Amino acid sequence: MIIPEELLINYGATIETYRKKDVIFSEFETPKNYYQIVSGNIKLNHYNEEGRELIFAILNEGMSVCEMLLFIDHTFPVNAVVFEDATVLRLSKQKFLKMLDDHPKVAKGINNFLAERLYQKYIMLENNSSLYANVRIKGVLDYHKSFSPDKTQYSFQMPLTRQQLAAMTGLRVETVIRHIKTFEKEGVVKIIKGKIYY
């Protein structure tokens, strides 16, 4: 959900700029701020015991970053790492909660957004547990497209590389490449200049 930038600024949000690979927050830190992306991309990731990166999401313009943790007392379960130079609005937790108290329609919008995101996460997790690589990959494509207002075929440019799709699905890169080519032959996706359109 996009909260109007003017409203966030009126409550004291600051505009922060980050470079690729900057860490906005790390696992096990206590959430202290609401973050909304003005431009650029941020990935939510985790490293397993072997040091292998697992990517949970790539967030882009207008999206908020782990906002659900401002409502509970838990530390971040992921890192937020700038994937592409980004400008972000940052508002303290206290001011964010005050804004929601003052603006019930915005609070309702946040609730609806969180419910939709949670629903899509369940679907993606279900798909990711499949033994079939094509089901896992399509689940990630569906999840990311679910945040796009345009649901028409080929309207969504996937922000993930094949390597990142592999990291999100637990598959080998070669497997992802093979299935994306199959999806293209079947008309599920279009490949334009190496980018996946779904």
Side-chain angles (χ1 to χ4, degrees), residues 1-5 7-8 34 36 62 96 99-100 106 110:
M1 170 183 176
I2 299 174
I3 296 175
E5 290 181 21
L7 180 60
L8 291 169
Y34 170 81
Q36 183 168 295
F96 173 73
M99 179 191 69
L100 295 184
V106 174
I110 289 279

Side-chain angles (χ1 to χ4, degrees), residues 147-192:
F147 296 105
S148 173
D150 188 350
K151 306 291 187 216
T152 58
Q153 191 173 24
Y154 312 131
S155 63
F156 179 70
Q157 180 185 329
M158 191 65 180
L160 302 172
T161 65
R162 275 69 164 176
Q163 178 69 50
Q164 292 160 342
L165 275 169
M168 288 190 81
T169 56
L171 299 168
R172 294 179 53 214
V173 179
E174 297 80 8
T175 303
V176 170
I177 291 169
R178 190 172 64 251
H179 282 282
I180 292 295
K181 286 179 181 174
T182 301
F183 284 163
E184 183 181 27
K185 288 177 189 168
E186 295 171 347
V188 175
V189 300
K190 270 190 183 178
I191 307 297
I192 302 170

Side-chain angles (χ1 to χ4, degrees), residues 14-186:
T14 56
I15 298 172
E16 308 293 329
T17 55
Y18 298 94
R19 297 285 170 227
K20 186 174 182 174
K21 297 187 179 178
D22 283 351
V23 176
I24 297 174
F25 57 76
S26 300
E27 285 183 85
F28 310 116
E29 286 183 17
T30 301
K32 295 178 182 164
N33 297 293
Y34 170 81
Y35 301 95
Q36 183 168 295
I37 304 168
V38 177
S39 65
N41 292 320
I42 293 169
K43 67 179 174 179
L44 301 179
N45 73 0
H46 166 77
Y47 293 92
N48 68 14
E49 297 82 14
E50 292 90 39
R52 183 176 174 199
E53 181 184 32
L54 303 172
I55 298 174
F56 294 98
I58 301 280
L59 307 175
N60 49 34
E61 182 180 330
M63 298 185 83
S64 47
V65 185
C66 289
E67 68 294 321
M68 74 284 291
L69 291 170
L70 296 175
F71 299 103
I72 56 178
D73 292 321
H74 289 288
T75 58
F76 288 114
V78 294
N79 306 296
V81 181
V82 178
F83 178 66
E84 178 185 290
D85 289 0
T87 303
V88 176
L89 283 165
R90 183 180 69 189
L91 181 65
S92 73
K93 176 179 178 175
Q94 296 78 13
K95 291 178 180 177
F96 173 73
L97 295 175
K98 169 83 169 109
M99 179 191 69
L100 295 184
D101 286 342
D102 294 346
H103 298 274
K105 285 185 180 177
V106 174
K108 184 179 179 189
I110 289 279
N111 287 338
N112 290 343
F113 178 77
L114 291 174
E116 179 66 27
R117 186 178 277 187
L118 187 58
Y119 171 78
Q120 293 297 337
K121 269 286 195 209
Y122 279 126
I123 299 299
M124 190 174 83
L125 286 171
E126 181 180 314
N127 290 333
N128 240 7
S129 67
S130 174
L131 298 175
Y132 301 103
N134 62 333
V135 173
R136 291 187 193 187
I137 296 164
K138 190 158 182 317
V140 173
L141 295 173
D142 287 339
Y143 174 73
H144 280 84
K145 187 169 181 173
S146 73
F147 296 105
S148 173
D150 188 350
K151 306 291 187 216
T152 58
Q153 191 173 24
Y154 312 131
S155 63
F156 179 70
Q157 180 185 329
M158 191 65 180
L160 302 172
T161 65
R162 275 69 164 176
Q163 178 69 50
Q164 292 160 342
L165 275 169
M168 288 190 81
T169 56
L171 299 168
R172 294 179 53 214
V173 179
E174 297 80 8
T175 303
V176 170
I177 291 169
R178 190 172 64 251
H179 282 282
I180 292 295
K181 286 179 181 174
T182 301
F183 284 163
E184 183 181 27
K185 288 177 189 168
E186 295 171 347

